[in-house]
Amino acid sequence: MAIRKCAREDPAFSRLLQVYEHREQTAQAWRSAGKKVVAKLGFDVPDEMVIAAGMLPVQVYADPDQSLEKTDTYLEFAFDPLVRHQFEKIVDGTYQTQADFLAISNSTDVVIRVFLYLREMRRQGLEQIPPVTFLDWLFTRHRLYQQRNELTVQMFWQQLEQWSGQPITEAALREAMHLCNENRQALRTMQALRRGETVRITGCEALVIIGAGFFMEKQEHTALVRQVTAAAQQWDPVSGVRVFLTGSAQEDTQLYQMIEELGAVVVGEDHDWGDRSFDRDCNPDYPVVRSLVDRYMLREFSAKKAFVSQRVDALLRQVADSNAQAVLFYNHIYEEAASWDYPSQAAALRNAGIPSASFAKMYYPVTANPELPDALKKFLQGEAICHG
């Protein structure tokens, strides 16, 4: 299954796939045209603000084939392996040529530590690292924390004005918020073709459609998502066990392809490279700073920044919304936060009659786990799913 012929032959999907597989091209074109690019590490750096500043936001991503020579010099081995590969691309000079600035949000504890390392490395002039700033969000849903987050947004506003060399007007911010809201709404319309009674878009195809948006202009991405969504309504329906994936972020389609080649279909996920990236809009009726805080502070709960009870409720809600028949927990080695949620989440799924399986301490990339295909096959073809 994975990415099917009907998708590859669609012009809009073909363009999205090109961007997804060649993620640096748009950023390079922007810089060649004399415009500025902001690389983002973490998923709570507001695209709206970067766009309003006239710059292109792009997500830092890992290269699994890249040597970790420099990373091994600076980082402990007990870091999430995906983050170690992201770190390598920052310190080896890659983002010195692909981006003008680096914005890091405290989306996970390990990313916070990465920022502290990078800040000290820049101070000592150790490597070619772009100018870096840090967004220190508070994610507990309390009025006092909302006020603190509004200050965080205002500080980032000032930093972007310094970087861009021009003021960011409220009108520009509202226009950027509108562009991003339209993009998220287009993605939610596409999402319905994964979750409905008839599935028209595979998990692999959805990851490409969603992920391309992290590396291109929002207007073009929105237009392409709408075109793909219209075309996909005529694509062949997808059959198989409907799987919801939770745990470590998946920057590429390898795991999804492995699952779908076994006859299942991934209908949803709660990581930031998938559904979670477009689950909440900015409220245009709020003042701009409050609207941005509302969007990023009140998103669906992340494993890295939520209580166990919140994660249990969130998982049950998302599994129901996606009409999933089974849940896969997939966590990288040394990525401990999600493992704390697992016992309570698995118990809640059992009570709901939904089969689940845990794949913990997995190596990066997916192909570094030779036992994984057989283990997935055993679960997906198990009696609990086939006859449950």
Side-chain angles (χ1 to χ4, degrees):
M1 194 190 306
I3 299 177
R4 298 164 296 163
K5 182 179 179 182
C6 57
R8 292 184 181 276
E9 291 181 347
D10 179 79
F13 184 88
S14 179
R15 167 61 178 156
L16 291 168
L17 183 60
Q18 177 192 24
V19 173
Y20 190 77
E21 293 180 340
H22 304 281
R23 302 177 177 186
E24 72 288 346
Q25 289 184 348
T26 302
Q28 289 175 347
W30 264 63
R31 299 196 80 206
S32 296
K35 295 184 285 188
K36 296 179 180 179
V37 174
V38 176
K40 305 181 303 171
L41 183 61
F43 278 84
D44 296 289
V45 177
D47 283 351
E48 296 87 347
M49 302 184 73
V50 177
I51 293 169
M55 297 186 284
L56 177 72
V58 297
Q59 198 68 34
V60 173
Y61 68 96
D63 181 353
D65 298 322
Q66 197 166 21
S67 164
L68 294 180
E69 179 180 357
K70 290 186 178 295
T71 297
D72 290 344
T73 302
Y74 297 111
L75 290 190
E76 296 89 343
F77 289 97
F79 272 63
D80 175 357
L82 179 66
V83 174
R84 282 171 54 81
H85 281 268
Q86 292 171 340
F87 185 86
E88 182 70 26
K89 289 190 66 176
I90 295 171
V91 300
D92 74 355
T94 296
Y95 282 102
Q96 189 72 21
T97 60
Q98 291 186 12
D100 300 275
F101 310 105
L102 176 62
I104 301 176
S105 63
N106 63 333
S107 302
T108 69
D109 290 340
V110 68
V111 170
I112 297 172
R113 298 202 301 274
V114 165
F115 164 71
L116 296 175
Y117 281 60
L118 292 174
R119 183 178 64 178
E120 180 61 18
M121 291 166 66
R122 270 188 58 83
R123 188 186 72 82
Q124 296 189 33
L126 295 176
E127 302 292 349
Q128 299 180 33
I129 302 168
V132 59
T133 194
F134 184 67
L135 283 81
D136 188 14
W137 291 94
L138 298 174
F139 293 98
T140 303
R141 297 178 176 182
H142 188 280
R143 173 62 183 167
L144 180 63
Y145 295 164
Q146 177 185 334
Q147 292 174 330
R148 172 62 176 79
N149 286 336
E150 289 177 1
L151 176 61
T152 296
V153 167
Q154 290 166 347
M155 293 171 63
F156 188 49
W157 189 332
Q158 295 171 2
Q159 180 65 80
L160 288 172
E161 287 183 327
Q162 293 178 17
W163 281 351
S164 65
Q166 61 185 21
I168 302 173
T169 66
E170 182 174 321
L173 263 174
R174 288 200 176 276
E175 174 60 23
M177 288 161 55
H178 176 69
L179 288 174
C180 291
N181 279 353
E182 284 197 323
N183 184 254
R184 289 185 283 260
Q185 289 160 10
L187 287 167
R188 287 195 291 270
T189 302
M190 179 278 300
Q191 180 189 56
L193 297 181
R194 301 176 71 190
R195 295 184 164 193
E197 183 176 343
T198 301
V199 178
R200 300 283 181 179
I201 294 178
T202 70
C204 286
E205 292 159 0
L207 274 196
V208 170
I209 295 168
I210 298 165
F214 299 135
F215 306 101
M216 63 192 305
E217 295 178 67
K218 283 289 184 287
Q219 297 97 321
E220 182 185 6
H221 186 246
T222 299
L224 291 169
V225 171
R226 288 171 174 165
Q227 292 170 37
V228 168
T229 301
Q233 295 180 42
Q234 305 303 318
W235 291 356
D236 293 337
V238 181
S239 60
V241 176
R242 300 167 65 114
V243 173
F244 186 90
L245 185 69
T246 183
S248 299
Q250 301 300 313
E251 292 188 348
D252 57 51
T253 62
Q254 287 185 354
L255 178 60
Y256 284 52
Q257 182 172 339
M258 193 177 293
I259 294 169
E260 294 184 334
E261 286 179 347
L262 291 169
V265 57
V266 182
V267 294
E269 61 281 311
D270 64 358
H271 62 73
D272 287 305
W273 286 78
D275 288 348
R276 190 172 182 269
S277 64
F278 54 87
D279 69 357
R280 189 177 183 87
D281 290 335
C282 291
N283 190 327
D285 296 329
Y286 290 169
V288 290
V289 171
R290 181 184 172 191
S291 180
L292 289 164
V293 170
D294 178 82
R295 184 267 186 269
Y296 287 90
M297 181 179 178
L298 302 182
R299 298 169 64 202
E300 190 60 271
F301 291 108
S302 163
K304 312 302 189 299
K305 298 289 180 180
F307 300 120
V308 172
S309 60
Q310 293 170 330
R311 286 286 295 157
V312 170
D313 291 342
L315 180 61
L316 291 176
R317 182 168 56 250
Q318 292 172 98
V319 168
D321 288 346
S322 61
N323 295 305
Q325 298 167 301
V327 175
L328 284 177
F329 295 83
Y330 185 95
N331 294 302
H332 291 147
I333 190 170
Y334 304 127
E335 191 176 8
E336 305 296 340
S339 66
W340 304 335
D341 304 329
Y342 172 71
S344 297
Q345 288 180 316
L349 290 170
R350 283 195 299 271
N351 291 337
I354 299 172
S356 69
S358 174
F359 297 86
K361 298 184 178 180
M362 306 306 292
Y363 294 104
Y364 177 83
V366 170
T367 52
N369 303 281
E371 77 292 344
L372 181 59
D374 286 342
L376 284 170
K377 182 178 180 180
K378 182 177 179 180
F379 171 65
L380 293 172
Q381 297 180 359
E383 184 174 344
I385 294 178
C386 296
H387 304 289

